[in-house]
Amino acid sequence: QVQLLQSGAEVERPGASVKVSCKASAYTFIDYYIHWVRQAPGQGLEWMGWINPKSGDTKYAQRFQGRVTMTRDTSISTVYIDLSSLTSDDTAIYHCVRGVTVGGFGCFDLWGQGTLVTVSS
Amino acid sequence: DIQMTQSPSSLSASVGDRVTITCRASQSVSRYLNWYQQKSGEAPKLLIYAASSLQSGVPSRFSGSGSGPDFTLTISNLQPEDFATYYCQQSYSFPRTFGQGTKLDFK
């Protein structure tokens, strides 16, 4: 079954870092970019950046520059997001998302189940 | 960044109704516009891409139209499983941005 399976919920202190994993199954891992999108409780969707699993190249949203790192391990078809200097504003569900291009138009066609990250003292 | 504005923010309707949700971009995004459905406690699901193309497996009662800055999502003959929150998203440029969402609930 084609899916993205994420790691479990995390609780972190303010100022700490968190690392969330996302394992791809049943498709060719290096053929599709992976994006990260987060959703604060009761709020909308916020794009954080992408990683090219083939090359490891990344692009981050400006507001997360310097605080986010996306990496991958092709041997286990897994991507990671590491977010540092956490504050309560980072409390959210973090989704990994597969990006596809159809006829030149990009969209997100496969979503991970989400990982709740709670930042609390 | 391109700002996406949806209206209305919430909408009440009944089974069998036809509803329309609009999305406006702060600048032209051509047809680089996608629609997603999110049910409570679930991840979003792609409904429409490239403004009007139906994603595989999505019922034909969902349709999208528009280009430039203005787009619509129409749901005909509402079914009970359609009550959810809907988001538009532009894929014209980075950063990718989403509308604030439209919550569709029972009248």
Side-chain angles (χ1 to χ4, degrees):
Chain A
Q1 179 183 358
V2 176
Q3 65 177 354
L4 296 170
L5 188 61
Q6 298 182 223
S7 50
E10 304 272 6
V11 179
E12 301 293 346
R13 301 290 191 196
S17 298
V18 68
K19 191 170 187 175
V20 176
S21 68
C22 169
K23 182 176 176 60
S25 301
Y27 73 90
T28 304
F29 176 65
I30 59 172
D31 282 355
Y32 301 90
Y33 284 32
I34 294 292
H35 301 245
W36 289 89
V37 173
R38 76 178 187 178
Q39 187 169 32
Q43 301 301 309
L45 300 163
E46 180 176 31
W47 180 82
M48 300 181 70
W50 57 250
I51 181 167
N52 178 344
K54 186 174 185 177
S55 65
D57 290 345
T58 56
K59 183 178 183 69
Y60 304 137
Q62 182 74 23
R63 64 169 297 190
F64 298 108
Q65 287 276 2
R67 208 161 67 87
V68 69
T69 305
M70 297 178 190
T71 56
R72 94 293 191 210
D73 184 339
T74 56
S75 69
I76 55 172
S77 300
T78 299
V79 298
Y80 305 90
I81 184 170
D82 196 313
L83 189 62
S84 63
S85 303
L86 293 169
T87 72
S88 58
D89 289 342
D90 295 314
T91 294
I93 295 174
Y94 289 74
H95 292 278
C96 58
V97 188
R98 188 175 75 171
V100 298
T101 301
V102 181
F105 294 91
C107 58
F108 301 141
D109 76 329
L110 181 66
W111 292 65
Q113 84 276 18
T115 297
L116 175 62
V117 174
T118 302
V119 183
S120 174
S121 55
Chain B
D1 298 2
I2 298 175
Q3 307 302 315
M4 308 300 293
T5 304
Q6 289 181 230
S7 61
S9 296
S10 62
L11 177 60
S12 296
S14 302
V15 173
D17 284 354
R18 172 188 170 104
V19 298
T20 298
I21 298 168
T22 65
C23 177
R24 170 167 286 179
S26 60
Q27 66 181 75
S28 175
V29 295
S30 184
R31 294 180 62 80
Y32 292 84
L33 191 285
N34 307 312
W35 289 97
Y36 300 87
Q37 175 194 66
Q38 185 177 33
K39 297 181 180 179
S40 181
E42 298 183 7
K45 170 188 169 184
L46 177 66
L47 298 175
I48 302 281
Y49 63 93
S52 61
S53 295
L54 198 64
Q55 171 68 347
S56 175
V58 174
S60 59
R61 62 180 180 273
F62 291 91
S63 63
S65 65
S67 66
D70 293 316
F71 301 88
T72 60
L73 172 70
T74 300
I75 313 171
S76 303
N77 187 23
L78 266 175
Q79 296 299 298
E81 60 268 29
D82 300 337
F83 292 92
T85 300
Y86 294 84
Y87 294 93
C88 62
Q89 175 247 327
Q90 62 83 17
S91 60
Y92 182 82
S93 67
F94 288 101
R96 299 295 195 236
T97 48
F98 293 84
Q100 81 280 13
T102 295
K103 184 174 183 179
L104 175 58
D105 59 19
F106 288 102
K107 185 181 290 184

